[in-house]
Amino acid sequence: MDINLIALETLKVQEVQAWITGFAVFLGPLSGVVFTLWFESRKEKNRGETTAFYFAHGREKGTFHFFSNGAVLE
């Protein structure tokens, strides 16, 4: 193989690597923000459901325990 052909192939590989790095630099933080927003929205939804559950049962969080047989320890 000619040295010029090797140099051209190396440049092509480096160009592809530069594109991949550019996408990673852009998409990495973006995906982190999207995941964080999704996680926080699920957390808030679950907190609301848990609060509604405890409110409906008229108890403070953590004051009673359920067992596998359905009994409740107060």
Side-chain angles (χ1 to χ4, degrees), residues 36-49:
T36 301
L37 292 174
W38 171 78
F39 182 77
E40 290 294 325
S41 68
R42 279 183 48 104
K43 189 172 154 183
E44 288 297 319
K45 179 183 173 216
N46 289 341
R47 182 178 295 144
E49 290 173 355

Side-chain angles (χ1 to χ4, degrees), residues 54-71:
Y54 289 122
F55 180 75
H57 289 276
R59 308 257 190 220
E60 289 295 322
K61 183 177 179 181
T63 58
F64 61 93
H65 305 283
F66 290 101
F67 294 98
S68 61
N69 64 357

